[in-house]
Amino acid sequence: MDTVQSDGSSSSRHATCADDPELALDLYSRTIFKSLRRTDQRKWAHAYLRGLLVTSGKKSVRRIATAISRDPSVVQSLRQFVSLSPWDFDEVMAELTHWVTQHRPAAVWSIGRAVLPKRGDRSVGVHRYFDLSSGRTLNCQLGLGAFLCVDGAQVPVDWCLHLPTTWTREPDRRAEARIPESEQYRPLWAQALRLVERLSARTGSSSSVVLVDMSDEPDVGYLLHGLTKRRRDFVVAVPPHLAVLPAGEKAPAPVSARTLVHARSQGTAVVSLPDGQQPSTPFQTSLVHLPGSSQGRSPGPLYRLFTEVGRNCPRPLWLTSLAHHAVAEVGSIAAFQSGTAAVIGSMEQDFGLLDFEGRSFPGWYHHMALVSAAYAFQRLHGLTSVASRSRHSQCHSLAARDFCPIGGPVPDARTTTGRATEEPKIASPDPSA
């Protein structure tokens, strides 16, 4: 299916997008989901996307179906599309990445964690996980997401589901959740490196800086060396006990990052925050090398270790490859991390990130792709009315019409039996949804 017509009607359609959110969403859906092979798949992708934008409160499949159509069969079609229909997550997210970078190349790639609480042990990848931000141990799924920082916005463009060995080593659980054979256990640092490699392949960018909080990852050194080997600049929050070598000493002994940086004198830098504020912030910083990175007589790459001086609570320790850049610049990059957490919170609150059971591996990835696409459209297209848990008013310009899929209206199932030829029906709801 063509994404945009090449004749004169194309410019007129784009000209009216600002005034017609439905048309804008139609064009966007055609672009993001053009890799879906079948017409019915593209139709239900558009329907689910629209439902995420207009459904108030919890965005379960049933509530989405009710919000976009009076046809009772829609809920089953949406459930099948998300959980059973064979379509490629990677291809959809590649299109989303390209759409986002058309706005402006992303100078920073931020990697964040989505902690998705679950009941029971049926949801794929669910396990007991200590959430550092809340200080609690949760029964949850853990997703690692890649976000492009463009024009003051952060947009999710890729995800990895963390699969503990309790899932990867049990054939019955793998089969029930439809986990591909290629998916094995990867520690969080390896998942982060995997996201970076995929973004590098999609964007071709060699200059974007990787930002990620790995302050609870004991093997963060593997990530640091992996990024350095790939010549990818980074700003990474590291554990306080990370061993570093003070720069400028002839035979330095390893010392913990926290001990070294806290021994340095305090300075100040003006940091640009994502919300536009520019506070004067106290910092402590030191130039360091990493053990095991020496090359012959050379001590290896030079890094900058820095931390904001906090009055009330410990602040993250950051290590960056941008050793010769001003502390104000690398501190401004580190400040994006709080924005990443805020985006994930918005996706949970307003876009249904938490509202999918996620029992199957393909279903989890499909849901994450759809939620990411909905957030990107709202954030970058400028749609201001999104139905959320806290604001129960619906986006009237999108919700005013009953569901009308790409390519024209579908007859109401109460007046015709023609719909059965467009989308095969399932005898009972999919238990993996």
Side-chain angles (χ1 to χ4, degrees):
M1 178 180 291
D2 294 335
T3 303
V4 179
Q5 296 179 0
S6 59
D7 57 20
S9 64
S10 175
S11 59
S12 62
R13 292 187 76 185
H14 282 289
T16 58
C17 278
D19 301 323
D20 189 344
E22 190 75 55
L23 176 58
L25 184 63
D26 180 41
L27 291 173
Y28 174 76
S29 179
R30 289 173 184 267
T31 299
I32 302 304
F33 299 113
K34 68 181 181 182
S35 63
L36 275 60
R37 306 301 192 260
R38 304 197 311 261
T39 301
D40 64 288
Q41 290 177 318
R42 296 190 293 273
K43 178 183 77 172
W44 295 117
H46 176 77
Y48 201 100
L49 178 65
R50 183 169 173 265
L52 289 171
L53 291 168
V54 304
T55 304
S56 62
K58 184 176 181 179
K59 293 167 177 60
S60 65
V61 175
R62 184 170 298 279
R63 288 180 60 85
I64 288 173
T66 302
I68 63 174
S69 177
R70 297 183 298 271
D71 183 350
S73 71
V74 167
V75 61
Q76 196 149 310
S77 296
L78 290 177
R79 188 172 282 126
Q80 175 181 356
F81 168 72
V82 178
S83 296
L84 294 178
S85 186
W87 52 277
D88 195 315
F89 165 86
D90 290 332
E91 291 180 354
V92 170
M93 299 309 279
E95 291 296 339
L96 180 59
T97 303
H98 297 155
W99 185 85
V100 172
T101 54
Q102 284 177 357
H103 285 74
R104 184 178 178 180
V108 177
W109 298 346
S110 181
I111 297 175
R113 301 183 195 182
V115 179
L116 313 176
K118 298 294 177 182
R119 294 181 179 178
D121 59 358
R122 299 289 299 280
S123 299
V124 60
V126 70
H127 64 289
R128 302 288 290 175
Y129 169 74
F130 180 74
D131 179 30
L132 198 62
S133 62
S134 65
R136 296 187 300 156
T137 299
L138 303 173
N139 189 66
C140 65
Q141 294 171 322
L142 179 62
L144 214 61
F147 297 74
L148 300 185
C149 303
V150 292
D151 292 335
Q154 295 193 41
V155 183
V157 294
D158 203 358
W159 292 94
C160 284
L161 174 64
H162 180 64
L163 292 174
T165 54
T166 52
W167 282 87
T168 58
R169 294 178 181 176
E170 296 188 18
D172 291 343
R173 294 187 97 181
R174 293 186 68 103
E176 184 178 4
R178 290 181 285 144
I179 300 173
E181 292 183 4
S182 59
E183 292 295 326
Q184 300 298 327
Y185 167 76
R186 292 181 178 88
L188 291 179
W189 68 263
Q191 295 279 28
L193 205 55
R194 187 185 191 190
L195 289 171
V196 171
E197 290 176 340
R198 294 206 299 226
L199 272 183
S200 299
R202 290 178 190 171
T203 65
S205 171
S206 59
S207 60
S208 299
V209 179
V210 173
L211 172 66
V212 59
D213 184 350
M214 286 284 165
S215 57
D216 61 346
E217 175 54 68
D219 295 322
V220 67
Y222 290 112
L223 174 63
L224 302 174
H225 287 298
L227 293 171
T228 300
K229 182 179 179 180
R230 290 161 177 79
R231 299 182 178 180
R232 176 67 62 181
D233 284 320
F234 58 82
V235 178
V236 176
V238 297
H241 57 74
L242 177 72
V244 296
L245 302 172
E249 300 183 10
K250 290 185 178 180
V255 62
S256 75
R258 177 171 52 191
T259 299
L260 178 62
V261 76
H262 284 177
R264 296 304 191 236
S265 59
Q266 181 176 311
T268 58
V270 177
V271 174
S272 297
L273 301 180
D275 61 5
Q277 298 184 52
Q278 293 184 316
S280 180
T281 306
F283 279 98
Q284 291 172 302
T285 182
S286 178
L287 296 176
V288 301
H289 301 284
L290 293 178
S293 62
S294 60
Q295 303 168 352
R297 295 184 178 181
S298 170
L302 187 66
Y303 303 97
R304 179 178 293 280
L305 184 68
F306 67 96
T307 186
E308 180 184 347
V309 179
R311 296 180 179 179
N312 300 321
C313 59
R315 300 303 175 98
L317 291 171
W318 297 94
L319 188 78
T320 178
S321 59
L322 302 171
H324 298 294
H325 291 239
V327 175
E329 182 178 349
V330 294
S332 298
I333 294 174
F336 276 107
Q337 188 64 33
S338 61
T340 305
V343 170
I344 294 173
S346 175
M347 295 173 71
E348 293 173 352
Q349 181 75 14
D350 300 334
F351 294 88
L353 189 67
L354 300 176
D355 300 335
F356 186 72
E357 182 69 22
R359 290 189 178 181
S360 73
F361 185 90
W364 187 89
Y365 275 91
H366 289 172
H367 175 70
M368 300 303 281
L370 291 158
V371 171
S372 298
Y375 181 87
F377 177 78
Q378 188 274 338
R379 189 66 179 87
L380 294 185
H381 182 267
L383 184 65
T384 57
S385 298
V386 174
S388 70
R389 298 198 196 306
S390 56
R391 300 194 314 274
H392 292 289
S393 60
Q394 290 189 342
C395 175
H396 66 276
S397 56
L398 288 175
R401 291 168 248 185
D402 196 15
F403 168 50
C404 179
I406 299 172
V410 171
D412 194 307
R414 295 169 294 183
T415 59
T416 178
T417 59
R419 178 170 293 191
T421 60
E422 299 175 25
E423 176 70 20
K425 299 300 187 294
I426 307 174
S428 60
D430 172 29
S432 65

